[in-house]
Amino acid sequence: MNFYHKLQSVKQRIKHKLKLSRRKIDFIIIGVQKSGTTALDSYLRGQHHQICMADYKELHYFDTDNLFTNGQPDYCFYQSFFSPKKSHQIIGETTPIYLYWRDALKRISHYNSDIKLIVLLRNPIERAYSHWNMSCDNGKEDLGFLSALKAESARAEKQAPEQLRTHSYIDRGLYVKQLKTLWQHFPKNQTLVLKSEQLQQNPQQTIDKICDFLGVEKINNVKPIKANSRQYPQTMSAEDRQYLINVFTPEIKDLEKLLSWNCSNWLAQNDN
């Protein structure tokens, strides 16, 4: 291939990419962190021929505040992280902080008011412990679990008016206010809220439900995926668990009413 043909090829690829960058995203897995979103992303990314996922998980576009400070955000930049093929019917991404981040849902609504949003909710007690372990592994936490929980309010106050990102062990588990904010910006029929246990225990049934919600073909013989699954150095102590049971009991009761769920096993003293 001579230089001219190489140049034309490059121009065609750039033109193709620019065309793709104008195609809006159809759905986002918006939460919650440490609730199985990596596994769900892997199911849709690797086992469904009609779905194009972002070039990588967690683009963090709508929670990056400085992208929205100077007028109209660059949506072409966001959409350039997707590479759909002709066989792909819909495009989506996974960034589980979006449900939690203060302005993310409003920004998503301004971007595409018709977008569909998926939420996985995990027992907030187990979620908090998993979050703390991740922070320790990443070198971002030097406090013990209970100490970190008790320090969260002071850390949030120190961080204000910016939102607490790394050490939000309890606050991210306050699902009711997050869901109510979600439904202020989007009608409920554009949202799908599931328990993370459903994906773990019944992947075929759960992925079928998600495919129906997204309007794509179901996946035959879903192959179970375990992602980010590991043994912690130690289990949560009875004292720590009881502390979080006391913290989250009113929240979980309110969530049960909001979603017509039974979450009694979330409040058991033993890990379920």
Side-chain angles (χ1 to χ4, degrees):
M1 182 183 293
N2 60 32
F3 176 77
Y4 173 79
H5 289 104
K6 286 182 179 179
L7 181 60
Q8 293 305 309
S9 177
V10 169
K11 285 182 176 179
Q12 286 298 319
R13 288 200 299 270
I14 292 173
K15 185 178 180 180
H16 179 63
K17 195 68 173 178
L18 288 173
K19 182 179 180 181
L20 293 177
S21 71
R22 291 192 290 270
R23 181 176 172 183
K24 286 188 177 181
I25 311 312
D26 301 291
F27 75 95
I28 307 177
I29 301 166
I30 59 170
V32 299
Q33 181 199 52
K34 311 306 296 179
S35 294
T37 59
T38 299
L40 179 53
D41 183 276
S42 298
Y43 279 115
L44 301 183
R45 180 183 302 274
Q47 299 189 34
H48 206 298
H49 68 282
Q50 292 182 318
I51 297 176
C52 170
M53 299 300 290
D55 294 342
Y56 55 89
K57 181 177 178 280
E58 299 198 32
L59 296 181
H60 286 286
Y61 181 79
F62 293 104
D63 64 298
T64 301
D65 295 335
N66 61 14
L67 295 176
F68 295 84
T69 55
N70 297 315
Q72 181 68 20
D74 185 0
Y75 294 138
C76 284
F77 170 70
Y78 172 57
Q79 290 162 194
S80 69
F81 291 100
F82 302 82
S83 303
K85 300 176 181 177
K86 289 183 178 179
S87 61
H88 292 140
Q89 300 298 310
I90 59 173
I91 307 173
E93 69 128 323
T94 304
T95 304
I97 199 174
Y98 287 164
L99 180 68
Y100 173 70
W101 202 248
R102 190 175 295 140
D103 294 318
L105 295 171
K106 178 175 65 176
R107 292 166 180 168
I108 294 170
S109 177
H110 288 165
Y111 163 70
N112 182 3
S113 60
D114 295 323
I115 203 166
K116 292 184 177 182
L117 303 168
I118 300 172
V119 179
L120 289 177
L121 297 183
R122 182 183 181 183
N123 180 344
I125 296 169
E126 300 301 328
R127 196 220 68 80
Y129 190 60
S130 180
H131 184 173
W132 173 79
N133 274 279
M134 180 182 70
S135 296
C136 292
D137 289 347
N138 293 340
K140 296 179 179 179
E141 181 59 85
D142 54 8
L143 296 179
F145 184 48
L146 188 57
S147 296
L149 297 176
K150 292 180 177 180
E152 184 172 330
S153 294
R155 283 170 158 176
E157 186 175 346
K158 184 178 180 180
Q159 186 76 16
E162 295 180 12
Q163 198 169 352
L164 191 63
R165 188 181 289 263
T166 302
H167 302 116
S168 46
Y169 309 117
I170 292 174
D171 199 39
R172 289 198 195 217
L174 301 177
Y175 300 143
V176 171
K177 67 178 182 180
Q178 296 175 57
L179 291 173
K180 287 183 176 180
T181 301
L182 170 64
W183 293 327
Q184 286 173 1
H185 294 287
F186 297 93
K188 288 187 178 181
N189 64 2
Q190 285 177 220
T191 69
L192 180 64
V193 184
L194 301 166
K195 283 185 180 180
S196 62
E197 300 101 291
Q198 293 174 298
L199 181 64
Q200 185 178 28
Q201 297 168 8
N202 300 294
Q204 182 71 63
Q205 182 180 356
T206 306
I207 297 299
D208 283 352
K209 189 171 185 178
I210 291 169
C211 289
D212 285 341
F213 172 68
L214 295 176
V216 294
E217 296 175 2
K218 293 179 180 178
I219 304 173
N220 293 325
N221 301 316
V222 168
K223 299 176 179 61
I225 293 173
K226 285 190 176 182
N228 295 337
S229 178
R230 67 176 185 83
Q231 291 292 322
Y232 301 135
Q234 58 187 18
T235 59
M236 194 188 320
S237 72
E239 178 188 6
D240 295 350
R241 185 178 296 277
Q242 188 59 56
Y243 179 86
L244 284 176
I245 288 174
N246 294 340
V247 167
F248 280 119
T249 291
E251 171 70 20
I252 291 172
K253 295 297 183 183
D254 287 344
L255 186 71
E256 288 180 317
K257 294 176 184 177
L258 184 68
L259 298 175
S260 298
W261 284 5
N262 180 353
C263 301
S264 57
N265 62 316
W266 286 6
L267 294 170
Q269 180 56 246
N270 295 321
D271 179 6
N272 290 308

